Amino acid sequence: MSDEGDPRIHDPHFKGPVVNRSCTDVLCCMIFILFIIAYILLGLVAWVNGDPRRVAYPTDSQGHFCGQKGTPNENKPILFYFNLLSCTSPSVVVNLQCPTRQICVSKCPEKFLTYMEIQFMYRKDRNDWTYYSQFCKSAFLKPAKTLTQVLLDDDCPTAIFPSKPYLQRCFPDFSTKNGTLTVGNKTVFEDGSGKTRNAVELRAAANGINKVLDARAIGVKVFEDYATTWYWILIGLTIAMLLSWMFVILLRFTAGFLFWLFTFGVIGIIAYGIWHCYREYSNLQGQPNAHLTVFHIGIQTDISMYFQLKQTWFAFMIILCILEVFIILMLIFLRDRIRISIALLKEGSKAIGYIPTTLIYPVLTFILLSICISYWAVIAVYLATSGVPIYKVIAPEGQCKHENKTCNPEIFNTTEIAKACPGAQCRFAFYGGATLYHQYITTFQIFNLFVFLWLINFVIALGQCALAGAFASYYWALKKPDDIPPYPLFTAFGRAIRYHTGSLAFGSLILAVVQMFRLILEYLDKRLKQAQNNISKFLKCCLRCCFWCLEKAVKFLNRNAYVMIAIYGKNFCRSARDAFNLLMRNILKVAVMDRVTDFVLILGKILVAGCIGVLAFLLFTERLPMIIVGPTSLNYYWVPLLTVMIGSYLIAHGFFSVYAMCIETIFICFLEDLERNDGSAERPYYMSQSLLKILNEQNAQTKKQ
C-alpha cells in the first residue's frame, strides 16, 4: 500500500484525530448488516416455530407435556419414571434420555409396592391396585398379566417407592439415618424383578438424570441469604466503585511508588529464598548421607525425599541467584524505559481526570453485551424447542446396532428392530421435523452462535475505538486541557459508528472466527473423549495452545489497530499494518510498558477486591458489633462474601479496562509523536512536560523561555 493521504507525511500541522473522513471497509460493513438482518429474521422464524414451554414442562415418553393447560395431562404436572435404576445406563450419557418409560402423574408414590406383591394383595383389597394402577401407562381392571409380560409390554412399573416431586419430576425421598442413606426409612428394597437393591444404587441412578437433588436445599438457603444481605451487597459494590475511582486518580501520584515497592519486594523475597537455600545446603553438609545425589535415589514418588538432598537446595540457590541477577540487570539497563512507562501511567490518570465520562462508558458496553447475550439465549431456546416430537431407539445396555435410529412408538413393538434388540425401546428424544427448516436446526444454532460471537466482539471493539478516539483527542491537544475539544467521547463514538463500522466489523470477524474454531475444538474434545489415544490428546493440546495464542495475538493487534483507526481514520488492514510496524520498531518499549501496566492494574484489582472482601468478611461474620451491626443468622456467610468480592473485582476490571485503553492509546500517540516531531516550532512535541523531562527534550517555545 502507498502512503498517499497519510496525515503524518502530508499534514505537518496534524493536531489530533482526523476530522474529514470517509467510510472504511464498506464491503465488510454491508456483509455485517446483512448478517444482522439474517439474524433478526432467524429470530422471527424461531419465535414462530419454537415453544419455550417445552423447556418449562417435563415431557413424557410420547412427547406430551405434563401439566400444560388444554392437554390430557393438564392435571398431571409431575413426570414419573417406571424404572429409575435403569438411568445408570450408558444411553443416558449418549442420548440424554433415561431408557425407561416416562408418564405424567398427578402425584408421586408414597409407599413401597411391587407388581408381584400387588397381584397377591388384589385378591384381598382392590384399593391397593387402584392406587398402583395410577402409575401405569393406561388403566387396567386387574393385574392379570405376568411380570414377564408386563416387562415386555412396558405397561406398568415393576416397583414403586416413596418419592417426592423435585423440579416437576418424581425422585426418591432420600434421608440420612445414623449416617446411612435411606429411602422411605429403608436401606434395602425389592426392585420388583427379584433383585434386592439399596438406597445408594437408587441415589446413583437419580443423579444420572438430575444433579440438583442436593443443590435444592442449598439453593433455598442461598436465596434466603441473598434476601437478607442484598442491600449490604449493594453498599459493598458502591464502595468498590468509589475505591476504583480513587485508585485511578491516585495513580497520578502513586504509580512510581507502587511499581518500585513491588519490584524491591520481589528482589527481597528472592534474596530470602537464596539465603534459605544456602542455610538448608549448609545444614545438610554435615549429615551422614550428604554424599547422596539424585542419581543415587532415582525417581521417587515421594517428592519430600528430594528435599533431603543438598544437591536439590544447591540447584534452587543457583536458579534464584540467576533470577535475582537478571532482574537487577533489567532494572539497571531498562531504567529509562521503566520511567517512561510510569510517566505514561500517571499521564493516563490525568487524561481520565480531564475526560471523566469515559469511566461511565463501561455501563453502555454492559447494556449492549446484555442485549446480545439475551437475544442469543432466547433464539437458542426457541430453536431447540422447534418442531414435533422425534423418537429414537434406546437400548438399556447400549449394545443395539439400531440404537439412535428414528422410530414410531405406536408400532415399534411390531417392527424388526424390537425383535433384533430385545429390551430396546422407542423413546422421545427431541423436537424436530421433516421440513427444510427443521433439517437445518443444527446449522441455525451454529449460525446463532457465530453471529453472537461476532456481535460481542463488535461491541467491545466499538468501545475500544470510541475510548481511543477520546484519549487521542486529549494527547494531541498542545495546551492541555484548553485545546481538548468539547465532548471528545461522544464525538469519537459518533465517528466510529458513522465511518468505521466496517473496519470494526472486520476486526471482530477475524476474532470471532478464531473463537469459533476454539469452541468447535472443545466440542469435539468432549464428544470424542472416550475414543482418544495419547497421540490425539497431544495433538488436541497443541491445537488448543495454538488457538489460545492466536486469539491473544489477534486481540492485541486488533486493539492497537482500533487506536490507529480512531486517530487516522484508515481501513482495518492499513491501520493494523501501521500499528504493527510502529510497535515492532519500539518492541522493547512495548514489552516494558505492558509489564509495568499489567502489574499496576492487577495490583489495583486485587487491592479493591481485597479491601472490600476484608470488610465484608468482618461484617458477615459479625466481628464488628461495636462499630456496625451486620446481618445475623446467615446460612452461608461465604455466599454474600463471594458475591461482593467477585462483583468488586468486576467493577474494578471495568474501571481499569478504560484505564488500560487510555494507557495504550497514549502510548501509541507517544510513539507517533516521537517519530513525527522534533520539538521545533514547526513540529513541536505534544507529550506532557513530565515525559519531555524524562527524554531530556524541550519544545522550541520552552527553550526560548
Side-chain angles (χ1 to χ4, degrees), residues 25 59 74 111 118 154 158 179 379 382 444 599 617 629 681:
D25 295 303
T59 309
E74 181 176 354
K111 53 186 177 181
I118 213 67
D154 204 18
T158 57
I379 289 183
Y382 272 90
F444 292 146
F599 152 66
F617 175 78
V629 179

Side-chain angles (χ1 to χ4, degrees), residues 542-554:
C542 291
L543 285 173
R544 291 170 75 176
C545 181
C546 290
F547 276 110
W548 182 85
C549 294
L550 180 61
E551 183 179 351
K552 293 295 181 184
V554 170

Side-chain angles (χ1 to χ4, degrees), residues 274-291:
I274 294 172
W275 174 79
H276 179 76
C277 292
Y278 175 75
R279 189 181 64 177
E280 293 291 335
Y281 176 80
S282 300
N283 292 337
L284 291 172
Q285 192 82 354
Q287 298 294 329
N289 296 325
H291 66 282

Side-chain angles (χ1 to χ4, degrees), residues 405-453:
K405 286 187 177 180
T406 306
C407 59
N408 185 343
E410 301 297 332
I411 60 172
F412 179 72
N413 289 334
T414 62
T415 61
E416 294 296 326
I417 298 178
K419 298 176 182 177
C421 302
Q425 300 169 0
C426 184
R427 292 287 175 259
F428 167 76
F430 54 86
Y431 290 96
T435 64
L436 188 65
Y437 167 77
H438 294 111
Q439 291 176 5
Y440 287 94
I441 288 291
T442 304
T443 304
F444 292 146
Q445 287 283 24
I446 295 174
F447 177 80
N448 179 31
L449 178 61
F450 176 74
V451 180
F452 164 71
L453 293 175

Side-chain angles (χ1 to χ4, degrees), residues 170-219:
C170 287
F171 286 103
D173 184 15
F174 294 109
S175 60
T176 304
K177 187 175 182 181
N178 297 327
T180 304
L181 184 68
T182 65
V183 54
N185 293 324
K186 287 187 177 183
T187 56
V188 294
F189 55 91
E190 296 289 333
D191 67 354
S193 60
K195 296 180 180 179
T196 301
R197 303 293 188 118
N198 58 50
V200 176
E201 292 180 85
L202 192 59
R203 180 58 173 268
N207 285 339
I209 53 173
N210 195 329
K211 305 292 185 183
V212 295
L213 291 180
D214 290 332
R216 184 177 182 272
I218 296 175

